[in-house]
Amino acid sequence: MNEKIYQLKITLRDSKPPIWRRVLVKDSTKLSRLHRIIQIVFGWTNSHLHQFVIGDKYYSTPDPYAFIPILDERRFRLKQVTPKEKTKFVYEYDFGDYWVHQILVEKILPYDPKIWYPICIKGRLACPPEDIGGIWGYYNFLEALRDPNHAEHEDFVEWYGGEFDSERFDLEEINRLLRPKNFSK
């Protein structure tokens, strides 16, 4: 089989310490599918617009009202737009909160028929909640949750619905969601 596997490291920009995931995907993966993979491995809810920025080109769901030319992400595969190791590109999610993910093609590996792709092989830290106000809103949220005397503590606890574990990263759960019965092609 000529298919190759891309090892991608996806890091949420401006997160300190870094919030990241390492995934293995087929080189034939369409950008539209990579969008869904990123949603799963980070724990986003796919309730906002997104786009990939690769070089000077933008890829997303076609929009006739877009201010810039948008290429249809359903028509492009990873091997077409990022053909080499060490290529970097961006995935932006939720243009209001502006979650920017830096994606690095760490390695291009041979296909292993014993592995189900896509698969997340490593990661660190929980994904921020949706609609929290971007990375800086997220850090304010964490600060408020840690301090019962913080002016926004009770509001955030009520808004979120309880405890939030910023350290939580469940590799087994992520990969369960990536399995075929849960994640269609």
Side-chain angles (χ1 to χ4, degrees):
M1 176 174 256
N2 282 341
E3 200 154 35
K4 298 288 185 196
I5 300 303
Y6 276 40
Q7 179 176 301
L8 304 176
K9 184 171 184 187
I10 308 165
T11 306
L12 192 57
R13 190 179 285 168
D14 296 322
S15 59
K16 290 180 181 55
I19 299 169
W20 60 273
R21 307 292 184 259
R22 182 169 284 126
V23 297
L24 301 178
V25 299
K26 294 177 182 180
D27 66 349
S28 60
T29 301
K30 291 182 179 179
L31 293 178
S32 55
R33 183 168 170 83
L34 182 59
H35 156 68
R36 294 193 321 271
I37 292 167
I38 294 169
Q39 290 289 305
I40 290 170
V41 301
F42 271 87
W44 298 121
T45 62
N46 198 21
S47 45
H48 299 281
L49 296 173
H50 72 279
Q51 67 185 3
F52 291 93
V53 182
I54 304 171
D56 61 352
K57 294 186 169 86
Y58 295 80
Y59 303 81
S60 190
T61 306
D63 179 359
Y65 303 106
F67 295 111
I68 54 173
I70 302 288
L71 298 167
D72 187 345
E73 68 185 4
R74 298 169 296 184
R75 301 184 70 193
F76 292 90
R77 299 177 186 278
L78 275 172
K79 62 184 169 187
Q80 293 173 280
V81 295
T82 59
K84 305 184 295 192
E85 288 184 353
K86 307 306 176 203
T87 302
K88 292 180 182 178
F89 60 105
V90 168
Y91 170 77
E92 297 172 354
Y93 174 63
D94 184 351
F95 302 152
D97 279 2
Y98 195 60
W99 298 109
V100 179
H101 305 71
Q102 183 73 46
I103 303 175
L104 169 65
V105 179
E106 288 185 310
K107 297 178 187 175
I108 299 177
L109 306 164
Y111 176 84
D112 183 344
K114 293 179 250 139
I115 297 175
W116 175 262
Y117 301 102
I119 186 170
C120 184
I121 59 172
K122 202 166 186 180
R124 186 158 189 266
L125 302 174
C127 179
E130 297 268 353
D131 303 320
I132 196 69
I135 197 71
W136 311 118
Y138 176 57
Y139 289 131
N140 182 57
F141 168 75
L142 292 178
E143 183 181 319
L145 287 184
R146 288 184 194 120
D147 180 2
N149 297 318
H150 191 284
E152 295 176 289
H153 176 81
E154 288 188 28
D155 290 339
F156 275 128
V157 169
E158 182 180 330
W159 173 81
Y160 186 72
E163 298 288 318
F164 177 80
D165 181 0
S166 64
E167 299 289 318
R168 186 174 188 279
F169 171 73
D170 190 337
L171 184 63
E172 191 174 305
E173 173 66 9
I174 288 168
N175 283 320
R176 186 187 68 73
L177 293 171
L178 289 172
R179 298 306 270 177
K181 67 180 180 176
N182 300 312
F183 179 60
S184 64
K185 295 184 180 197

